[in-house]
Amino acid sequence: MNLRSLSTAPRVGLALVRADLNVPLEQGQIRDDTRIRASLPTIEALRSRGSAVVVMSHLGRPKGKIEDGLSLGPVAQRLSELLKLDVRFAQGLPTSASAQAEVKRLQPGDVLLLDNLRFDPRETKDDPGLAAELARFGEIFVQDAFGAVHRAHASTHAITGILPSYAGLLVEREVQALDLLMNGTEQPFVLILGGAKIADKIGVIEHLAQQAQDVLIGGALGNTFLEARGVPIGRSLAESGELDVARGLMRRFQGRFHLPIDVVTTRAITEPGRAVNVEEVGSDEMIVDIGPATQAAYRDIVLGARRVFWNGPLGLYERAAFAEGTLAVANAVAECPGYTVVGGGDSAAALAASGLSDRVGHVSTGGGASLEFLEGRVLPGIEGLLES
Ligand code: ADP
Ligand code: 3PG
Ligand code: MG
């Protein structure tokens, strides 16, 4: 995919950057600043070209009105620390009169962060009016919000119809990595899919399973596939409305799907688990992880792979007792000598918690975005950046 690169952009006095600074907050504290760090190279590159930089982002999902708990204030502070610079911050509506005044005061090299774009109800409606107001904050638009390029919003999509638009360094890196994975020819190509929602993963399975030799399934997603195969899963988390979808996929890609052969079950998530053969799940039990035999089998397949994509934890990994399957897969992906890519907030967090992030080819900052990109579609936030 050929994107209009930032290096070909004219040097301008004022550049408008869409970043994805949607970080997890806990009582106003930033729990993980990965996305803020990932946005630094583009901001630095623009500053070193003498531009003043206006940065914009969403945070969480406020419903088109100001919510104090979802202000980007704490992000502005962290951005200041990381850039070693006093980042200006315009609190409230992103295109308010005071935001406009702040923009007017900017000097070369200054950075201003606008407040949460989703405080304005027009943002998620891809509203051209909001896009036009935002467009006054830059001579060029730089798309660096990889995690949000699957959204057709005013700041990710409509704006690209107004300002000359370029891919930021993060978007460029993400697109290169996912293109390399998706368009590679090396086999075996192995897909590992876990997590919770089958609806989010169907498109990827349909697109990638055609070329993947093995599709390793786990997590709550695995429960749905097991149930579809007629295995009693007790009180496990599963999507019983999606059994036909799961059956259809297994039929279409026969012989490629691997489901757990043993699992860890528990009666309550506060109680310890037990490993059992997959046919032996009690009616009052829940499957919360893949078992040791499945871990070993999946590990062997992953170690022999030349390309791997992993999305979604293999169990309820937030509880240490049920994290073993996810950790085993994380380790196997880290040890795999092939090209490895991990997408998804929870999978990336599990990898980071094990200190393995540096040992995979690429960790995407986008969850939904990486999945939708790998469906092979041109996403709304990317469309306007394509070299014609
Ligand atoms: P990602 O963020 O990596 O894309 P998802 O958001 O799809 O992953 O799913 C992550 C969630 O799935 C986690 O909260 C995890 O606890 C949950 N999960 C995985 N396996 C199970 C299971 N067997 N039972 C209940 N929850 C599970
Ligand atoms: C994400 O966290 O996946 C992105 O920031 C997009 O957020 P959204 O799902 O609320 O659009
Ligand atoms: Mg998640």
Side-chain angles (χ1 to χ4, degrees):
M1 187 174 279
N2 225 348
L3 301 182
R4 218 171 295 119
S5 157
L6 189 54
S7 60
T8 66
R11 283 169 190 269
V12 291
L14 191 61
L16 178 64
V17 176
R18 175 60 156 100
D20 183 352
L21 306 176
N22 182 26
V23 291
L25 288 178
E26 247 163 42
Q27 280 128 25
Q29 303 283 330
I30 297 166
R31 192 157 49 79
D32 174 16
D33 65 3
T34 306
R35 280 178 166 173
I36 305 177
R37 291 174 185 276
S39 72
L40 301 177
T42 292
I43 298 171
E44 294 284 26
L46 287 163
R47 292 185 62 227
S48 70
R49 295 155 136 246
S51 302
V53 186
V54 176
V55 183
M56 55 180 178
S57 175
H58 72 286
L59 178 65
R61 293 178 175 176
K63 295 196 170 54
K65 54 182 188 344
I66 293 177
E67 267 183 53
D68 291 339
L70 289 177
S71 167
L72 279 163
V75 173
Q77 207 177 333
R78 180 63 60 89
L79 201 53
S80 292
E81 290 160 22
L82 294 170
L83 288 169
K84 300 185 178 66
L85 172 92
D86 185 18
V87 169
R88 322 221 28 103
F89 178 60
Q91 196 172 353
L93 285 174
T95 56
S96 66
S98 62
Q100 293 171 31
E102 286 285 352
V103 173
K104 285 216 181 75
R105 278 199 286 274
L106 293 176
Q107 299 296 315
D110 282 354
V111 178
L112 167 71
L113 178 65
L114 304 179
D115 210 344
N116 197 339
L117 289 159
R118 293 184 186 171
F119 285 168
D120 191 317
R122 296 172 297 172
E123 162 66 358
T124 56
K125 296 185 182 124
D126 201 15
D127 182 90
L130 175 59
E133 287 173 25
L134 292 168
R136 287 188 208 117
F137 293 169
E139 293 151 77
I140 60 170
F141 170 68
V142 181
Q143 174 65 282
D144 215 24
F146 182 75
V149 290
H150 58 319
R151 304 291 179 218
H153 292 173
S155 68
T156 58
H157 178 258
I159 186 101
T160 63
I162 304 176
L163 287 178
S165 302
Y166 299 87
L169 298 171
L170 175 64
V171 161
E172 203 164 41
R173 186 157 63 83
E174 292 265 12
V175 166
Q176 264 168 16
L178 297 175
D179 267 348
L180 189 65
L181 177 87
M182 185 164 61
N183 302 325
T185 52
E186 303 84 3
Q187 291 289 0
F189 178 25
V190 174
L191 280 182
I192 314 163
L193 295 170
K197 290 203 79 186
I198 194 167
D200 296 347
K201 329 258 167 165
I202 289 171
V204 182
I205 299 177
E206 285 187 335
H207 188 239
L208 292 186
Q210 298 174 38
Q211 49 160 326
Q213 187 164 309
D214 298 284
V215 184
L216 313 182
I217 305 278
L221 182 75
N223 298 341
T224 303
F225 277 88
L226 286 170
E227 188 176 14
R229 239 185 214 173
V231 178
I233 58 166
R235 297 193 298 108
S236 301
L237 178 64
E239 291 171 273
S240 300
E242 304 287 347
L243 299 185
D244 283 339
V245 172
R247 279 187 206 108
L249 286 170
M250 285 190 284
R251 213 177 300 124
R252 245 177 90 196
F253 302 109
Q254 222 164 15
R256 300 188 199 175
F257 272 88
H258 300 259
L259 301 189
I261 49 178
D262 62 342
V263 291
V264 174
T265 63
T266 187
R267 285 205 187 83
I269 60 167
T270 47
E271 285 175 18
R274 62 173 194 129
V276 297
N277 191 301
V278 76
E279 273 90 37
E280 292 162 9
V281 179
S283 58
D284 58 346
E285 289 184 309
M286 305 176 263
I287 303 172
V288 284
D289 200 1
I290 56 173
T294 306
Q295 289 170 32
Y298 284 9
R299 177 182 167 81
D300 278 349
I301 294 171
V302 171
L303 291 184
R306 301 277 305 277
R307 279 184 292 158
V308 175
F309 177 65
W310 173 32
N311 169 277
L314 286 294
L316 215 162
Y317 81 104
E318 293 93 337
R319 299 200 74 89
F322 312 133
E324 248 176 59
T326 300
L327 295 180
V329 162
N331 274 292
V333 172
E335 285 170 49
C336 170
Y339 183 58
T340 53
V341 176
V342 178
D346 289 282
S347 337
L351 198 70
S354 328
L356 297 171
S357 304
D358 294 343
R359 295 183 51 199
V360 301
H362 180 70
V363 183
S364 180
T365 55
S370 63
L371 287 172
E372 291 197 29
F373 189 95
L374 291 172
E375 290 178 17
R377 296 192 283 127
V378 178
L379 301 179
I382 300 270
E383 208 184 318
L385 314 172
L386 291 173
E387 254 338 335
S388 49

